[in-house]
Amino acid sequence: MRGCVIGAGSFGTALANVLAVNCEEVRLWAREPSVVEAINTAHENTTYLKGIPISERVRATSSLEEALAGAEMVVLATPSHATREVVAKAKPYLPRHVPIVTVAKGIENETLLTMTELLEDCLPEEFHPYIAVLSGPSFAKELARRMPTVVTIASHWDKVALRVQKALQTETFRSYTSTDVVGVQYGGALKNVIAIAAGMADGLGMGHNARAAIITRGLAEITRLAVRKGANPLTLSGLSGMGDLVLTCTGELSRNRHVGVELGKGRKLPDILAEMKEVAEGVKTARSARDLEIKTGVELPICHQVYLIAYEGKSAKSAVVDLMTRQPKSELAGV
Protein backbone atom coordinates (compact mmCIF):
# COMPACT_ATOMS: atom_id res chain seq x y z
CA MET A 1 0.00 0.00 0.00
CA ARG A 2 1.15 3.53 -0.77
CA GLY A 3 -0.04 6.35 1.47
CA CYS A 4 0.12 10.09 1.02
CA VAL A 5 0.09 12.86 3.65
CA ILE A 6 -0.38 16.44 2.49
CA GLY A 7 1.16 18.75 5.06
CA ALA A 8 4.43 18.18 6.91
CA GLY A 9 3.75 20.03 10.12
CA SER A 10 4.15 18.16 13.37
CA PHE A 11 0.87 16.24 13.14
CA GLY A 12 1.16 15.39 9.45
CA THR A 13 4.68 14.11 9.96
CA ALA A 14 3.68 12.08 13.01
CA LEU A 15 0.75 10.53 11.14
CA ALA A 16 3.02 9.68 8.21
CA ASN A 17 5.15 7.75 10.71
CA VAL A 18 2.06 5.84 11.87
CA LEU A 19 0.94 5.14 8.32
CA ALA A 20 4.41 3.84 7.45
CA VAL A 21 3.88 0.86 9.77
CA ASN A 22 1.33 -0.62 7.37
CA CYS A 23 2.47 0.95 4.08
CA GLU A 24 5.36 0.08 1.83
CA GLU A 25 5.79 3.77 1.10
CA VAL A 26 4.37 7.06 2.39
CA ARG A 27 4.80 10.26 0.42
CA LEU A 28 4.80 13.39 2.59
CA TRP A 29 4.17 16.71 0.87
CA ALA A 30 5.81 19.81 2.38
CA ARG A 31 5.90 23.44 1.27
CA GLU A 32 9.37 24.13 2.65
CA PRO A 33 12.36 22.71 0.71
CA SER A 34 14.34 22.59 3.96
CA VAL A 35 11.76 20.23 5.50
CA VAL A 36 11.85 17.98 2.42
CA GLU A 37 15.65 17.81 2.50
CA ALA A 38 15.84 17.08 6.24
CA ILE A 39 13.31 14.26 6.04
CA ASN A 40 14.92 12.64 3.00
CA THR A 41 18.51 12.93 4.16
CA ALA A 42 18.40 12.80 7.97
CA HIS A 43 14.99 11.08 8.44
CA GLU A 44 13.97 13.87 10.77
CA ASN A 45 11.67 16.89 10.53
CA THR A 46 14.06 19.30 12.20
CA THR A 47 11.61 22.19 11.84
CA TYR A 48 8.51 20.71 13.47
CA LEU A 49 9.51 17.44 15.19
CA LYS A 50 13.14 17.89 16.09
CA GLY A 51 14.84 14.87 17.65
CA ILE A 52 12.21 12.31 16.61
CA PRO A 53 13.26 9.77 13.95
CA ILE A 54 11.05 9.33 10.88
CA SER A 55 10.58 5.97 9.19
CA GLU A 56 12.71 5.29 6.13
CA ARG A 57 9.46 4.39 4.36
CA VAL A 58 8.47 8.09 4.48
CA ARG A 59 9.72 10.15 1.57
CA ALA A 60 9.09 13.89 1.39
CA THR A 61 8.43 15.94 -1.72
CA SER A 62 7.37 19.47 -2.61
CA SER A 63 5.45 18.21 -5.67
CA LEU A 64 1.76 17.47 -5.16
CA GLU A 65 1.73 15.40 -8.34
CA GLU A 66 4.56 13.21 -7.07
CA ALA A 67 3.06 12.93 -3.59
CA LEU A 68 -0.34 11.78 -4.87
CA ALA A 69 0.78 9.46 -7.66
CA GLY A 70 -0.51 5.94 -6.94
CA ALA A 71 -1.77 6.84 -3.45
CA GLU A 72 -4.29 4.42 -1.95
CA MET A 73 -5.09 6.72 0.97
CA VAL A 74 -4.72 10.51 1.22
CA VAL A 75 -4.42 12.38 4.52
CA LEU A 76 -4.93 16.15 4.45
CA ALA A 77 -2.93 17.64 7.32
CA THR A 78 -2.77 21.29 6.31
CA PRO A 79 -4.10 23.99 8.70
CA SER A 80 -7.82 24.59 8.23
CA HIS A 81 -7.34 28.08 6.74
CA ALA A 82 -4.98 26.68 4.07
CA THR A 83 -7.00 23.59 3.17
CA ARG A 84 -9.08 25.15 0.38
CA GLU A 85 -6.00 26.53 -1.38
CA VAL A 86 -4.05 23.27 -1.15
CA VAL A 87 -6.98 21.09 -2.23
CA ALA A 88 -7.51 23.29 -5.30
CA LYS A 89 -3.88 22.71 -6.30
CA ALA A 90 -4.04 19.00 -5.52
CA LYS A 91 -7.37 18.32 -7.25
CA PRO A 92 -5.92 17.45 -10.70
CA TYR A 93 -3.76 14.72 -9.12
CA LEU A 94 -6.15 13.26 -6.54
CA PRO A 95 -6.70 9.54 -7.11
CA ARG A 96 -10.28 8.31 -7.47
CA HIS A 97 -12.01 5.86 -5.13
CA VAL A 98 -9.53 6.14 -2.23
CA PRO A 99 -10.16 7.55 1.27
CA ILE A 100 -9.44 11.26 1.67
CA VAL A 101 -8.99 11.95 5.38
CA THR A 102 -8.90 15.45 6.83
CA VAL A 103 -7.23 15.94 10.22
CA ALA A 104 -7.53 19.74 10.41
CA LYS A 105 -9.55 20.96 13.39
CA GLY A 106 -11.20 24.16 12.31
CA ILE A 107 -14.24 25.85 10.80
CA GLU A 108 -13.57 28.01 7.77
CA ASN A 109 -14.07 31.74 8.31
CA GLU A 110 -16.67 33.41 6.09
CA THR A 111 -18.26 30.16 4.82
CA LEU A 112 -18.54 28.54 8.28
CA LEU A 113 -17.94 25.14 6.65
CA THR A 114 -16.41 22.22 8.48
CA MET A 115 -13.46 20.59 6.76
CA THR A 116 -15.50 17.77 5.22
CA GLU A 117 -18.04 20.30 3.97
CA LEU A 118 -15.18 22.34 2.53
CA LEU A 119 -13.86 19.26 0.71
CA GLU A 120 -17.31 18.56 -0.70
CA ASP A 121 -17.43 22.19 -1.83
CA CYS A 122 -14.05 21.91 -3.56
CA LEU A 123 -14.21 18.44 -5.09
CA PRO A 124 -16.50 16.79 -7.67
CA GLU A 125 -19.32 14.64 -6.33
CA GLU A 126 -17.53 11.38 -7.18
CA PHE A 127 -15.05 12.11 -4.36
CA HIS A 128 -17.67 12.83 -1.68
CA PRO A 129 -18.36 9.25 -0.47
CA TYR A 130 -14.64 8.77 0.21
CA ILE A 131 -14.20 11.78 2.52
CA ALA A 132 -13.46 11.08 6.19
CA VAL A 133 -12.24 12.93 9.27
CA LEU A 134 -9.81 11.86 11.99
CA SER A 135 -10.00 13.59 15.36
CA GLY A 136 -9.35 12.97 19.03
CA PRO A 137 -6.83 13.54 21.85
CA SER A 138 -3.55 13.27 19.96
CA PHE A 139 -0.55 15.51 20.55
CA ALA A 140 1.83 15.11 17.61
CA LYS A 141 4.97 14.63 19.67
CA GLU A 142 3.49 11.77 21.67
CA LEU A 143 2.05 10.22 18.51
CA ALA A 144 5.45 10.42 16.78
CA ARG A 145 7.16 8.85 19.80
CA ARG A 146 4.75 5.90 19.54
CA MET A 147 3.06 6.65 22.84
CA PRO A 148 -0.45 5.13 23.13
CA THR A 149 -2.99 7.26 21.28
CA VAL A 150 -6.69 6.67 20.58
CA VAL A 151 -8.81 8.68 18.12
CA THR A 152 -12.08 8.63 16.17
CA ILE A 153 -12.42 8.22 12.41
CA ALA A 154 -15.75 9.40 11.02
CA SER A 155 -17.25 9.00 7.57
CA HIS A 156 -20.76 8.88 6.17
CA TRP A 157 -19.76 5.61 4.51
CA ASP A 158 -18.77 2.88 7.01
CA LYS A 159 -16.56 1.15 4.45
CA VAL A 160 -14.31 4.20 4.16
CA ALA A 161 -13.90 4.60 7.92
CA LEU A 162 -13.03 0.91 8.23
CA ARG A 163 -10.39 1.19 5.49
CA VAL A 164 -8.75 4.11 7.25
CA GLN A 165 -8.97 2.34 10.61
CA LYS A 166 -7.20 -0.73 9.21
CA ALA A 167 -4.46 1.32 7.53
CA LEU A 168 -3.63 3.19 10.75
CA GLN A 169 -3.93 0.37 13.30
CA THR A 170 -0.64 -0.24 15.16
CA GLU A 171 0.44 -1.41 18.62
CA THR A 172 0.34 2.18 19.86
CA PHE A 173 -2.32 3.81 17.66
CA ARG A 174 -5.96 2.75 17.95
CA SER A 175 -9.06 4.25 16.39
CA TYR A 176 -12.82 3.87 16.68
CA THR A 177 -15.17 4.44 13.74
CA SER A 178 -18.20 6.72 13.65
CA THR A 179 -20.75 8.01 11.18
CA ASP A 180 -21.24 11.26 13.12
CA VAL A 181 -19.09 13.42 10.86
CA VAL A 182 -20.70 16.60 12.21
CA GLY A 183 -20.19 15.88 15.90
CA VAL A 184 -16.59 14.74 15.50
CA GLN A 185 -15.69 17.95 13.66
CA TYR A 186 -17.47 20.40 15.92
CA GLY A 187 -15.87 18.76 18.95
CA GLY A 188 -12.42 18.96 17.39
CA ALA A 189 -12.75 22.56 16.23
CA LEU A 190 -14.47 24.27 19.16
CA LYS A 191 -12.38 22.60 21.85
CA ASN A 192 -9.48 24.75 20.62
CA VAL A 193 -11.40 27.91 21.47
CA ILE A 194 -12.26 26.59 24.92
CA ALA A 195 -8.58 25.65 25.41
CA ILE A 196 -7.61 29.29 24.86
CA ALA A 197 -10.04 30.24 27.64
CA ALA A 198 -8.62 27.55 29.94
CA GLY A 199 -5.12 28.82 29.23
CA MET A 200 -6.16 32.36 30.06
CA ALA A 201 -7.50 31.22 33.43
CA ASP A 202 -4.16 29.55 34.11
CA GLY A 203 -2.27 32.64 32.98
CA LEU A 204 -4.34 34.71 35.38
CA GLY A 205 -3.57 32.27 38.20
CA MET A 206 -7.22 31.37 38.78
CA GLY A 207 -6.63 27.79 39.88
CA HIS A 208 -8.01 24.33 39.23
CA ASN A 209 -11.62 25.18 40.09
CA ALA A 210 -11.79 27.70 37.27
CA ARG A 211 -10.16 25.33 34.79
CA ALA A 212 -12.64 22.57 35.62
CA ALA A 213 -15.54 24.99 35.22
CA ILE A 214 -14.29 26.14 31.81
CA ILE A 215 -13.88 22.57 30.58
CA THR A 216 -17.34 21.54 31.80
CA ARG A 217 -19.25 24.57 30.60
CA GLY A 218 -17.17 24.63 27.44
CA LEU A 219 -18.34 21.11 26.67
CA ALA A 220 -21.93 22.28 27.19
CA GLU A 221 -21.40 25.03 24.60
CA ILE A 222 -19.84 22.67 22.07
CA THR A 223 -22.63 20.14 22.54
CA ARG A 224 -25.39 22.74 22.15
CA LEU A 225 -24.02 23.96 18.84
CA ALA A 226 -23.07 20.53 17.51
CA VAL A 227 -26.52 19.11 18.27
CA ARG A 228 -28.14 22.11 16.57
CA LYS A 229 -26.04 21.26 13.49
CA GLY A 230 -27.23 17.64 13.58
CA ALA A 231 -24.68 15.84 15.78
CA ASN A 232 -25.33 12.95 18.14
CA PRO A 233 -24.81 14.36 21.68
CA LEU A 234 -23.06 11.13 22.73
CA THR A 235 -20.24 11.91 20.30
CA LEU A 236 -19.34 14.94 22.39
CA SER A 237 -18.80 12.76 25.46
CA GLY A 238 -16.33 10.64 23.50
CA LEU A 239 -12.77 10.91 22.20
CA SER A 240 -13.39 13.73 19.73
CA GLY A 241 -15.38 15.70 22.30
CA MET A 242 -14.54 15.43 25.99
CA GLY A 243 -11.33 13.48 25.35
CA ASP A 244 -9.80 16.08 23.05
CA LEU A 245 -11.16 18.94 25.16
CA VAL A 246 -9.51 17.72 28.36
CA LEU A 247 -6.19 17.12 26.62
CA THR A 248 -6.10 20.50 24.92
CA CYS A 249 -7.19 22.44 28.00
CA THR A 250 -4.67 20.80 30.35
CA GLY A 251 -1.71 19.52 28.33
CA GLU A 252 1.55 21.46 28.28
CA LEU A 253 1.99 20.61 24.58
CA SER A 254 -1.25 22.40 23.61
CA ARG A 255 -0.63 25.36 21.29
CA ASN A 256 -4.09 26.79 21.96
CA ARG A 257 -3.68 26.58 25.72
CA HIS A 258 -0.28 28.29 25.33
CA VAL A 259 -1.89 31.19 23.48
CA GLY A 260 -4.42 31.52 26.29
CA VAL A 261 -1.78 31.42 29.03
CA GLU A 262 0.13 34.25 27.37
CA LEU A 263 -3.05 36.28 26.85
CA GLY A 264 -3.84 35.78 30.53
CA LYS A 265 -0.43 37.23 31.37
CA GLY A 266 -1.39 40.37 29.46
CA ARG A 267 0.54 39.84 26.24
CA LYS A 268 -0.83 40.90 22.86
CA LEU A 269 -2.06 38.23 20.45
CA PRO A 270 0.11 39.27 17.45
CA ASP A 271 3.23 39.04 19.61
CA ILE A 272 2.28 35.58 20.84
CA LEU A 273 1.52 34.24 17.36
CA ALA A 274 4.71 35.72 15.91
CA GLU A 275 6.76 33.45 18.19
CA MET A 276 4.96 30.25 17.17
CA LYS A 277 6.10 27.95 14.35
CA GLU A 278 2.71 26.30 13.93
CA VAL A 279 -0.90 27.43 13.88
CA ALA A 280 -3.12 27.63 16.96
CA GLU A 281 -6.39 26.78 15.22
CA GLY A 282 -8.53 28.18 18.01
CA VAL A 283 -7.64 31.77 17.15
CA LYS A 284 -9.33 31.67 13.74
CA THR A 285 -12.05 29.32 14.95
CA ALA A 286 -13.04 31.87 17.61
CA ARG A 287 -14.20 34.13 14.80
CA SER A 288 -16.18 31.30 13.19
CA ALA A 289 -17.72 30.44 16.57
CA ARG A 290 -18.88 34.04 17.03
CA ASP A 291 -20.45 34.02 13.56
CA LEU A 292 -22.12 30.66 14.21
CA GLU A 293 -23.51 32.00 17.48
CA ILE A 294 -25.10 34.89 15.59
CA LYS A 295 -26.34 32.67 12.74
CA THR A 296 -27.84 29.89 14.86
CA GLY A 297 -28.87 31.76 17.99
CA VAL A 298 -27.07 29.17 20.14
CA GLU A 299 -25.40 30.77 23.16
CA LEU A 300 -21.61 30.30 23.28
CA PRO A 301 -20.57 32.59 26.15
CA ILE A 302 -17.03 31.28 26.63
CA CYS A 303 -16.28 31.21 22.90
CA HIS A 304 -17.75 34.71 22.60
CA GLN A 305 -15.43 36.10 25.27
CA VAL A 306 -12.41 34.49 23.58
CA TYR A 307 -13.44 36.23 20.35
CA LEU A 308 -13.70 39.59 22.13
CA ILE A 309 -10.26 39.17 23.69
CA ALA A 310 -8.61 38.01 20.46
CA TYR A 311 -10.22 40.45 18.04
CA GLU A 312 -11.59 43.41 19.97
CA GLY A 313 -8.94 43.96 22.61
CA LYS A 314 -10.99 43.02 25.67
CA SER A 315 -8.95 42.13 28.75
CA ALA A 316 -8.99 38.59 30.06
CA LYS A 317 -9.86 39.77 33.57
CA SER A 318 -12.95 41.66 32.44
CA ALA A 319 -14.03 38.65 30.39
CA VAL A 320 -13.96 36.49 33.51
CA VAL A 321 -16.07 39.02 35.41
CA ASP A 322 -18.63 39.09 32.60
CA LEU A 323 -18.83 35.29 32.54
CA MET A 324 -19.21 35.02 36.31
CA THR A 325 -21.93 37.69 36.51
CA ARG A 326 -24.18 36.31 33.76
CA GLN A 327 -27.84 35.76 34.64
CA PRO A 328 -28.16 32.77 37.03
CA LYS A 329 -29.89 29.75 35.50
CA SER A 330 -30.41 25.99 35.78
CA GLU A 331 -27.33 23.95 34.88
CA LEU A 332 -29.23 21.92 32.29
CA ALA A 333 -31.07 24.86 30.74
CA GLY A 334 -30.60 24.81 27.00
CA VAL A 335 -28.40 21.70 26.99
Side-chain angles (χ1 to χ4, degrees):
M1 181 178 177
R2 173 180 285 184
C4 171
V5 179
I6 305 297
S10 59
F11 195 77
T13 303
L15 208 53
N17 239 9
V18 174
L19 198 55
V21 174
N22 296 318
C23 289
E24 293 179 5
E25 182 182 23
V26 178
R27 295 287 176 87
L28 177 59
W29 178 80
R31 289 182 186 271
E32 306 98 318
S34 59
V35 171
V36 173
E37 182 179 2
I39 290 172
N40 290 340
T41 58
H43 300 291
E44 182 183 343
N45 188 334
T46 52
T47 303
Y48 299 114
L49 277 178
K50 189 175 179 61
I52 299 176
I54 296 170
S55 170
E56 293 187 4
R57 294 182 180 183
V58 176
R59 181 160 184 82
T61 177
S62 56
S63 165
L64 284 167
E65 182 177 10
E66 180 184 353
L68 289 162
E72 296 169 75
M73 189 172 100
V74 177
V75 176
L76 295 171
T78 53
S80 60
H81 69 271
T83 298
R84 184 177 291 274
E85 173 200 347
V86 173
V87 170
K89 292 177 179 177
K91 185 164 66 171
Y93 314 115
L94 278 173
R96 268 62 176 173
H97 311 303
V98 305
I100 300 171
V101 188
T102 176
V103 300
K105 297 175 179 178
I107 298 169
E108 190 178 42
N109 292 156
E110 309 303 333
T111 67
L112 304 182
L113 297 177
T114 64
M115 292 300 100
T116 60
E117 290 171 334
L118 184 153
L119 292 178
E120 290 174 352
D121 189 48
C122 291
L123 297 174
E125 193 171 341
E126 65 180 303
F127 288 95
H128 296 186
Y130 297 90
I131 293 171
V133 57
L134 182 154
S135 191
S138 49
F139 283 147
K141 286 185 179 179
E142 294 187 3
L143 182 61
R145 289 177 174 140
R146 303 190 187 283
M147 301 172 76
T149 302
V150 186
V151 300
T152 301
I153 297 165
S155 175
H156 292 300
W157 190 11
D158 284 336
K159 185 177 178 180
V160 171
L162 290 168
R163 284 175 64 181
V164 178
Q165 182 185 51
K166 183 177 179 181
L168 291 170
Q169 182 70 40
T170 74
E171 291 182 350
T172 58
F173 190 86
R174 177 177 175 82
S175 59
Y176 290 87
T177 61
S178 171
T179 56
D180 188 5
V181 175
V182 172
V184 166
Q185 289 181 98
Y186 272 90
L190 294 178
K191 59 88 185 178
N192 286 326
V193 185
I194 303 301
I196 293 176
M200 286 191 292
D202 289 343
L204 287 164
M206 292 187 166
H208 299 297
N209 293 351
R211 182 197 292 173
I214 289 169
I215 291 172
T216 308
R217 294 311 303 167
L219 181 63
E221 289 188 21
I222 296 170
T223 303
R224 279 199 299 269
L225 182 58
V227 169
R228 174 67 63 87
K229 300 296 285 187
N232 182 337
L234 292 177
T235 298
L236 285 308
S237 65
L239 291 163
S240 58
M242 175 58 84
D244 210 1
L245 179 65
V246 170
L247 179 75
T248 314
C249 287
T250 63
E252 297 296 328
L253 295 174
S254 168
R255 294 192 294 270
N256 293 283
R257 178 181 176 276
H258 168 76
V259 169
V261 169
E262 297 304 307
L263 285 170
K265 292 177 179 177
R267 297 187 62 200
K268 299 297 183 182
L269 183 62
D271 296 335
I272 300 167
L273 299 181
E275 296 174 353
M276 299 176 66
K277 288 183 180 179
E278 293 189 273
V279 174
E281 293 272 24
V283 175
K284 289 186 178 294
T285 304
R287 181 184 291 277
S288 295
R290 189 283 306 262
D291 291 344
L292 282 165
E293 183 179 32
I294 294 170
K295 182 178 180 179
T296 64
V298 175
E299 278 193 300
L300 306 173
I302 298 174
C303 290
H304 189 80
Q305 292 299 325
V306 172
Y307 166 80
L308 292 175
I309 293 164
Y311 292 98
E312 297 190 9
K314 187 171 186 175
S315 74
K317 285 185 178 180
S318 61
V320 172
V321 172
D322 286 347
L323 285 171
M324 292 296 289
T325 56
R326 292 176 69 240
Q327 179 68 32
K329 60 177 65 177
S330 166
E331 183 177 17
L332 300 182
V335 173

